[in-house]
Amino acid sequence: MNVQVFTFPTGVVRQGEVWCEPLKIYFPQIYRVIRKNVSRSSVSPSFNERPVACDFSLFNLKNAVTGSIPVRHLSPSDDRSLIVRHHWSKSLANAYLQGVEDMDSDQPCRGIYETERAIFTIVKCRTRKSWAGPMIFYLADGFVDDSDIGVQIWEKSVGVDGELRASDIFFDED
């Protein structure tokens, strides 16, 4: 697996609205990738933008062929949910992406996103039938001594209604 590491200069990654209190960081903004189709007419060239199904990034893409639009939540028509995860190092992020790829070889691992203060990944996951629709999950691990395993798991989610909620879906037994 060849994972690309995206290192952003200060101010390039747009801070999102999701605050992780235990780590004192904001998660980055999520963007839906769009493709720009250029008309071949020499009389009046035009651009026609269309979203690419379930293609997302933590980086605002801007060039002649692709672009991006910020999203706060997914739409009911999206075929997968998203997981944005904080990592303590590039090697831990890479190990996580390798595990994701081992479990789902069709999973396109876009890369590791590094900001001035944190490291993140974004991956797609199957939307469970018990959920109200496609969701975005924000996950982080905080290391604490008073836990049985030494880790406090922090999880928030945003449903298609756009509301941010505390959740524990990844630790449910369904």
Side-chain angles (χ1 to χ4, degrees):
M1 180 168 104
N2 186 10
V3 173
Q4 188 173 2
V5 177
F6 299 97
T7 304
F8 302 116
T10 304
V12 172
V13 174
R14 183 173 163 200
Q15 174 179 296
E17 299 174 6
V18 177
W19 172 252
C20 178
E21 179 62 32
L23 302 182
K24 307 287 189 230
I25 60 169
Y26 280 98
F27 275 70
Q29 174 66 53
I30 298 172
Y31 295 90
R32 183 183 300 271
V33 177
I34 55 174
R35 304 273 188 249
K36 297 177 182 178
N37 295 325
V38 181
S39 76
R40 302 266 184 207
S41 169
S42 60
V43 176
S44 154
S46 64
F47 288 94
N48 178 18
E49 297 181 358
R50 65 177 175 79
V52 177
C54 272
D55 204 358
F56 297 90
S57 175
L58 298 179
F59 183 61
N60 189 3
L61 303 168
K62 292 181 183 176
N63 66 40
V65 179
T66 61
S68 53
I69 51 175
V71 294
R72 172 147 171 58
H73 59 86
L74 299 176
S75 69
S77 63
D78 283 314
D79 63 347
R80 293 286 194 108
S81 293
L82 296 176
I83 301 169
V84 180
R85 182 180 283 277
H86 168 269
H87 302 277
W88 289 101
S89 70
K90 288 181 206 174
S91 61
L92 289 173
N94 190 51
Y96 170 73
L97 291 177
Q98 286 177 355
V100 168
E101 187 177 59
D102 287 348
M103 296 304 294
D104 183 358
S105 60
D106 295 329
Q107 174 68 253
C109 292
R110 297 284 181 222
I112 298 169
Y113 297 82
E114 183 177 7
T115 68
E116 184 179 285
R117 299 195 54 212
I119 297 170
F120 299 95
T121 55
I122 183 170
V123 298
K124 293 184 277 185
C125 73
R126 169 181 68 80
T127 300
R128 295 182 187 170
K129 292 177 183 175
S130 61
W131 300 346
M135 299 179 73
I136 300 173
F137 295 96
Y138 298 91
L139 300 168
D141 297 332
F143 296 98
V144 292
D145 291 333
D146 60 350
S147 165
D148 291 341
I149 58 174
V151 175
Q152 177 186 17
I153 299 166
W154 180 89
E155 178 183 333
K156 299 279 183 176
S157 63
V158 176
V160 293
D161 62 0
E163 293 296 318
L164 180 68
R165 296 176 177 86
S167 57
D168 62 357
I169 288 178
F170 285 95
F171 310 104
D172 246 358
E173 298 293 330
D174 68 13

